[in-house]
Amino acid sequence: NAEYMGVEALMQKMKETEDRLETTEKALKEAQKTNQLKNDRSDTTKPTGSTNTAEAPVKVEPSPAARTPTDDTPPEYSSKMGGPFHPKPYFASRIASEGLDEQTRMRQEAVKKAMGHAWKGYSEHAWGLDELRPLSLTSVDDFDLGLTLVDSLDTLWLMGMTEEFKKARDWVAQSLDIKKVRKTISVFETTIRVLGGLLSAYELSGDDIFLTKAIEIADCLSIAYRSPTGIPYSLLDLRTKRASNPEWAEGASILAEAGTVQLEFRALSRFSGNDTYAAMGDRSFIAISESSGKIHDALYPLYIRNDVLRFVSGHVGLGAMGDSFYEYAIKLYIQTNNTQSKFREMYEESARAVLNHLVRKSSDGFTYIADIDDGQIVKKMDHLACFAGAMFLLGAHFIENLPDKSHHIQVAEGIGETCYNGYRKMVPGVCF
């Protein structure tokens, strides 16, 4: 069974992580200065006056597409909600184990062992395909994009699984080609798993092949954003290059899908130096925020039209089809170095509405997040809504002077307790 960690401990962990990143960043900058001094000295000691010397090579600045995660000055871009993306880069190539207690190291090794087991099964029975069916040892390949492989690149890197990472990297270089795919894909899944996976791998490793492939993916996905409002369609037929929405959604787009692409496209703009991607994602987020039909002014229904700015559903929830939209509001504020007030305002307003209208207590005292369907409270909580505990913590941690911050933390702790018990009380230790 997992151990429940209180909010104070989580906040302390976040602080320790920030301190380690800051120390690493300072050390790298000092190393860069030292290297520059060495280069400068070597330049001054070169012989002069020789009649048989080659012309000094011209220093060529790297193109935007060749920038590495260690660049101190990422390219800036402007867009309606813009501002440069200045995260604290994760310079470390592996998760550090120094200074950790024995129990934590044992847990790290247990997680790595589980990853190794899962990766071995995928490699042997579904290599290069989207997903493995672990019981039948067969595969699913709905996208033809190696979803599991690409989505696992950063995990392989962080866990120090070097050989596995190299093999996966070579598959990306040789076999990942969205231009050859002739299937209908989910724009949302392709963005968060393929585009996101490639960008994470690029930021960690600095290998240009990941950025090259990410640009190819994003350029193809841009077809889905050619709607009157900028809100993307959910599906993209790569054979006909036509975008559409699923029939079961009655012609509408899904909130969580249209509102869960902005982090990836902003990151791509930072790395590529091309602001088109960020502007495309931002336009969608702005359109959602300006659409009519919200409930309690800041709760967003699950379905939204592409042709006019209007929601077409009375169902609100932080579970399936709604969840990550709320999560991205606070993460976009953090990603823009806490500078874009629009994202903060959207998050604060929606978080306040969730606290006032959706947060409930069960008869046995567990905190949960209900739904609203056509004006009626639905007293149930999706497993997917467990993310909200961390969301409230992020808001409390990164927003200065957040009104009623202690209540946000209290609810976060309550949701964490509820979801922990959801796992603990299930016989296999997994919440269904």
Side-chain angles (χ1 to χ4, degrees):
N1 289 336
E3 274 191 16
Y4 173 70
M5 182 178 289
V7 169
E8 292 299 324
L10 282 173
M11 299 289 274
Q12 181 60 33
K13 288 285 185 185
M14 290 170 70
K15 178 67 167 60
E16 290 171 359
T17 301
E18 284 186 354
D19 291 343
R20 283 201 300 271
L21 287 171
E22 206 165 296
T23 301
T24 305
E25 193 171 353
K26 286 179 181 177
L28 277 164
K29 286 182 177 179
E30 287 299 320
Q32 289 168 354
K33 287 180 183 177
T34 302
N35 288 335
Q36 184 60 49
L37 285 172
K38 288 179 180 177
N39 292 337
D40 292 344
R41 291 193 190 104
S42 64
D43 288 341
T44 59
T45 57
K46 288 177 183 176
T48 59
S50 171
T51 59
N52 190 29
T53 57
E55 185 177 348
V58 177
K59 183 179 179 183
V60 178
E61 293 296 328
S63 67
R67 290 178 182 267
T68 68
T70 55
D71 286 337
D72 291 329
T73 54
E76 296 189 6
Y77 60 87
S78 59
S79 59
K80 187 174 178 181
M81 258 186 187
F85 166 21
H86 291 298
K88 283 187 175 180
Y90 186 81
F91 290 105
S93 61
R94 305 290 183 267
I95 291 178
S97 58
E98 295 81 5
L100 299 178
D101 58 78
E102 185 61 26
Q103 186 182 46
T104 301
R105 281 196 294 270
M106 288 175 62
R107 286 174 173 170
Q108 279 191 352
E109 286 304 314
V111 172
K112 183 175 178 179
K113 184 177 179 181
M115 173 62 182
H117 169 76
W119 188 254
K120 183 173 183 289
Y122 172 75
S123 299
E124 291 179 355
H125 302 287
W127 179 254
L129 304 177
D130 288 334
E131 295 176 358
L132 167 70
R133 287 191 171 120
L135 298 182
S136 64
L137 299 182
T138 57
S139 61
V140 178
D141 203 29
D142 292 334
F143 290 56
D144 279 350
L145 292 171
L147 293 186
T148 295
L149 185 149
V150 178
D151 207 5
S152 301
L153 287 165
D154 54 352
T155 301
L156 294 172
W157 176 274
L158 291 171
M159 288 189 172
M161 298 172 69
T162 307
E163 291 306 314
E164 293 87 345
F165 178 85
K166 287 179 179 177
K167 185 179 177 183
R169 180 263 178 214
D170 289 343
W171 182 90
V172 169
Q174 298 163 13
S175 302
L176 180 60
D177 188 353
I178 196 169
K179 296 173 185 174
K180 293 182 179 179
V181 177
R182 293 295 179 266
K183 293 184 175 180
T184 297
I185 61 171
S186 162
V187 174
F188 162 70
E189 292 289 349
T190 305
T191 300
I192 66 169
R193 299 186 65 181
V194 184
L195 181 60
L198 291 168
L199 291 171
S200 295
Y202 176 69
E203 184 161 17
L204 288 166
S205 71
D207 191 326
D208 286 344
I209 189 61
F210 298 124
L211 180 57
T212 298
K213 295 293 183 178
I215 291 170
E216 291 176 2
I217 296 288
D219 287 346
C220 188
L221 292 177
S222 67
I223 298 169
Y225 289 79
R226 296 170 189 170
S227 71
T229 60
I231 294 172
Y233 296 100
S234 296
L235 303 173
L236 178 60
D237 186 331
L238 293 175
R239 183 178 57 84
T240 64
K241 301 296 187 290
R242 292 177 63 86
S244 62
N245 288 323
E247 292 182 7
W248 56 264
E250 298 182 1
S253 284
I254 298 160
L255 173 66
E257 296 189 355
T260 310
V261 297
Q262 290 72 26
L263 292 173
E264 289 80 5
F265 282 115
R266 277 178 164 268
L268 182 57
S269 280
R270 174 203 163 182
F271 294 141
S272 68
N274 183 347
D275 70 346
T276 301
Y277 306 113
M280 187 168 63
D282 285 353
R283 185 185 176 205
S284 172
F285 215 73
I286 294 167
I288 293 171
S289 72
E290 294 177 349
S291 293
S292 62
K294 292 190 284 290
I295 297 173
H296 297 302
D297 296 325
L299 295 177
Y300 296 75
L302 302 183
Y303 302 104
I304 187 169
R305 290 178 61 168
N306 303 85
D307 56 342
V308 293
L309 299 179
R310 186 164 73 243
F311 290 99
V312 291
S313 165
H315 192 166
V316 165
L318 270 67
M321 299 189 290
D323 50 0
S324 46
F325 167 76
Y326 298 91
E327 173 190 353
Y328 265 44
I330 181 60
K331 288 184 175 179
L332 282 165
Y333 178 62
I334 297 167
Q335 189 194 45
T336 55
N337 204 27
N338 304 354
T339 60
Q340 301 302 309
S341 60
K342 175 66 174 176
F343 295 136
R344 188 196 71 242
E345 291 164 4
M346 285 179 66
Y347 170 72
E348 285 192 42
E349 290 168 2
S350 61
R352 184 163 51 248
V354 170
L355 292 172
N356 291 340
H357 301 286
L358 300 183
V359 172
R360 293 284 191 275
K361 285 272 190 182
S362 67
S363 58
D364 49 358
F366 285 109
T367 301
Y368 70 98
I369 300 176
D371 285 8
I372 293 177
D373 195 0
D374 290 332
Q376 301 298 312
I377 287 289
V378 181
K379 296 182 178 180
K380 62 94 178 175
M381 175 175 166
D382 283 12
H383 174 240
L384 286 174
C386 285
F387 83 92
M391 179 188 75
F392 283 122
L393 273 183
L394 282 175
H397 184 73
F398 283 98
I399 298 178
E400 292 185 15
N401 305 316
L402 178 68
D404 207 6
K405 180 178 292 192
S406 61
H407 184 46
H408 287 246
I409 296 175
Q410 181 184 24
V411 170
E413 187 171 19
I415 293 169
E417 183 74 26
T418 298
C419 294
Y420 161 70
N421 278 282
Y423 281 89
R424 185 178 65 84
K425 292 183 177 182
M426 292 289 178
V427 173
V430 177
C431 196
F432 296 101

